[in-house]
Amino acid sequence: MSLSRKFATVGGATLGSRLLGFGRETLMAAALGTGPMADAFYAAFRFPNLFRRLFAEGAFNAAFVPLFAKEIEANGIDGAKRFSEEVLGVLFTVLLVITIAMELAMPLIVSTIIAPGFVGDTEKFDITVKLAVVMFPYLMCMSLTAMLSGMLNSLHHYFAAAIAPVFLNLTLITALAYGLWTGADPLMTAWYLSWGVLIAGILQMAVLYAGVRHAGMRFGLRRPRYTPNVKRLLVLAFPAAVTGGITQINQLIGQMIASTKDGAIAVLQYADRVYQLPLGVVGIAVGVVLLPELSRALRGGALKEAANLQNRSLEFVLFLTLPAAGAIWVISDEIVRVLYERGAFSPTTTATVASTLAIYGLGLPAFVMIKALNPGFFAREDTKTPMRFTGISVAFNCLLAVSLFPLYGERGIATAEAASGWLTTVLLFVTLVRRGHWVWEPALFSRVLRLLAATAVMAIALHFASAYLADWLTPQAHLVTQLTALMLLIAMAMLVYFVMAFAIGGADASMLRRNLKRKPRPETAKEEAETSVLPPPQI
């Protein structure tokens, strides 16, 4: 199966989940707006969700996948099964201890990490603590789910892991719909949502476990033992978890700062949901697929294939992400108005969320490129270098967010996150090139410049088109009319961008068809195996 088809498999499943996420956030905006219960729920949910991103998109895709693949290659399915049972025994025990400790310490965690700004508001603080206590076991469910996802990705079964998040959105949509149907007040709706998060975690874990069994892996829970394999996993996993969760870490920092202003946390969450659509569909899909493919190429000594995988993946993500960033910048007001402005979500809130979203759009290419660049380190079992860059980025984000928030509010936090994303991207790319792990292609640079030109033309066309359809996009227009206008704008933007990109040479058919094939020609692989030596892991 070609890389493009694998990207499409994961990206398509993620797209379905993110579209349901839009439905969820639309209902959330109508039910809670940016009121105190919205702040309380989002603040409480951010903490277990942070760990979900750290494990699911960081540690287990970066550390578990290469080691699991190595066990399959060296010792077959039996060796991989034994390795999985060793990891599961330790992981389950550690998660159980962490969950109990966090539940007992939740008031302290909320006051110091999750939302220190809530301390002065006793009611909001108490509710946030109680909601977080209900939702925190979601961490345990999702960490085990992340392990199962890593196993499926290593076995080249991508769809089940990608589709699992759909259950979270379906469960929360059900909770919100029930709350709106029964006329529940915001506090009761927040309780429905919190229990829905926990139920969704259990469902996702069950779906992934069934997927692993279907893939031919049957394993049980062993007594925890600190074996060499487990030690190696932990050595790789901690820095990988920090690196993989850089966006979430920066968002948590932003939440801590934003908790001092009423409604700011909800504003950031609503903006985050929109730009997470292209980030999830493109960035996460490429990151999930590229790591096992790149690990396989390097283990087999196919260095030319590895270089091709990296260049083509970066080309692919920029081809899809640059126009998304341009569109978010130009029509952020229209997007937010159509998606959210109803019920408790006012026009004033629309302006605030839209301006924050536009800034996030400028950081979108960087956030996606990080997902494509990190596998270049992880596949070589180097998780410490990206972690060091993450530390630099987080420090930069903290300094910038603290400086800008008093002046620009939520826009200052978005600016800090976008700037730190670009800093991380530059550090990762320059390091790969300097080490010789990324073969620089002048043709790639030329194509990126052409894609930027196509994006600029698209943005100008989108600006005039949105002005032409302004009457269709006013709050007074029917929702169907607004949605139709927004879809027309998106379709027009896609048409202009793709025509321009292909016309001026920013993209061609070979990029989408021939260059993303999974395997090199047999003779090429043979040549590389005979003439190349796999670089040693850099730890």
Side-chain angles (χ1 to χ4, degrees), residues 119-139:
V119 174
D121 188 331
T122 304
E123 181 182 5
K124 185 188 285 190
F125 177 82
D126 290 342
I127 291 170
T128 303
V129 170
K130 292 174 182 176
L131 296 180
V133 166
V134 171
M135 287 189 282
F136 196 80
Y138 176 75
L139 160 65

Side-chain angles (χ1 to χ4, degrees), residues 154 168 265 503:
S154 297
L168 173 64
I265 291 177

